[in-house]
Every structure is written in structure tokens, then in C-alpha cells.
Amino acid sequence: MSARVMRVFGPVLVAVSDVGLGWGSALTSVLCQGTMTSMSLIATDSLPVEPLDVLREVARSEAQLDELRWKQIAAARDAGASWAAIGESLGVSRQSAWEYFTRRVTTELAANVENSDLSEDEAMAIAVEEVRTVRRSRRAR
């Protein structure tokens, strides 16, 4: 497992080879194209008349924007962007950007704990090794 870095993008689990340098930009391109083609914007002149229907549309659009934001943060990190640069792009601190991103990752990982036969110590050892592998590959760029 240390030769591969596993990343979760929405419902799709993507195994990315740690060998080679072109995967980050290719993955970013695929994510951007896929996300941008499915994104819709609210046209205020075409909103429903009923306020509750408008609120439903706003909530749906917020969910789409949240998904787009999360995927682009993941793509920026894979491309080597720092948390400070990501935070600046979002208009928040680097800490806020990191907390926003890791909140979802932590939730997804917690949901998978029950499905694992690894002990906490074994899972932590694997996670630490994966982080080290990613850091080494980023330094080699």
C-alpha cells in the first residue's frame, strides 16, 4: 500500500500511483472539467415564486458549491498548493481552509472505522507512512 496514495473524491475512490509526476495536473484537469460541467448557477429571474421553493433551490445550489469547493481544495493540494495559498484564494485563514477540508475527511474516515479489521495502532501506522510518502513525493517535485 505504501506505493500508492489513496484519495477519496466524493463517492469515487481513486488509486493514484505515486510514481511519475504528471498525475496531479491530470487529476486536477479531470476534476475541474467534471465539476464545472455539472455545475449550475442560480438565475434570480427564473426562481420560483414561492419563498419555500426558492429556499430549496438556494440550498441545492449551496450543496453544489460546497462540493465544488471541496473538490478544488483537494485538487489544489494534490497539485502542491499550500494551505496558506488555498486560504488566501478562499478569503479565509490557512487554518480555516484546513479545518474545512479535514472536517469532511475526518467524517468519512470515521464512517469507515466500523468496516475495518485494523486496530487503531495499525491504522495510524499506515496513515503516518502514507503521509510521509506523500511529503517525500512533493519534496521531490
Side-chain angles (χ1 to χ4, degrees), residues 73 76-77 79-89 94 97 138:
I73 291 171
R77 287 296 295 163
S82 68
W83 286 112
I86 292 168
E88 181 182 330
S89 296
R94 69 178 187 181
R138 285 187 178 158

Side-chain angles (χ1 to χ4, degrees), residues 30-45:
V30 167
L31 284 173
C32 288
Q33 290 171 0
T35 302
M36 296 304 285
T37 56
S38 66
M39 184 176 137
S40 63
L41 299 174
I42 295 177
T44 55
D45 58 342

Side-chain angles (χ1 to χ4, degrees), residues 28 44 62 87 115 123 134:
T28 300
T44 55
E62 285 175 340
N115 300 329
V134 169

Side-chain angles (χ1 to χ4, degrees), residues 6-91:
M6 303 302 279
R7 295 274 192 251
V8 176
F9 292 104
V12 180
L13 183 64
V14 181
V16 181
S17 174
D18 200 37
V19 185
L21 300 173
W23 65 267
S25 60
L27 183 58
T28 300
S29 176
V30 167
L31 284 173
C32 288
Q33 290 171 0
T35 302
M36 296 304 285
T37 56
S38 66
M39 184 176 137
S40 63
L41 299 174
I42 295 177
T44 55
D45 58 342
S46 65
L47 286 173
V49 177
E50 283 294 316
L52 293 177
D53 292 336
V54 173
L55 290 173
R56 285 183 194 94
E57 183 65 22
V58 168
R60 186 189 63 74
S61 296
E62 285 175 340
Q64 286 180 340
L65 288 172
D66 190 56
E67 184 68 18
L68 174 62
R69 181 182 299 113
W70 196 88
K71 286 180 180 181
Q72 294 312 305
I73 291 171
R77 287 296 295 163
D78 282 341
S82 68
W83 286 112
I86 292 168
E88 181 182 330
S89 296
L90 293 171

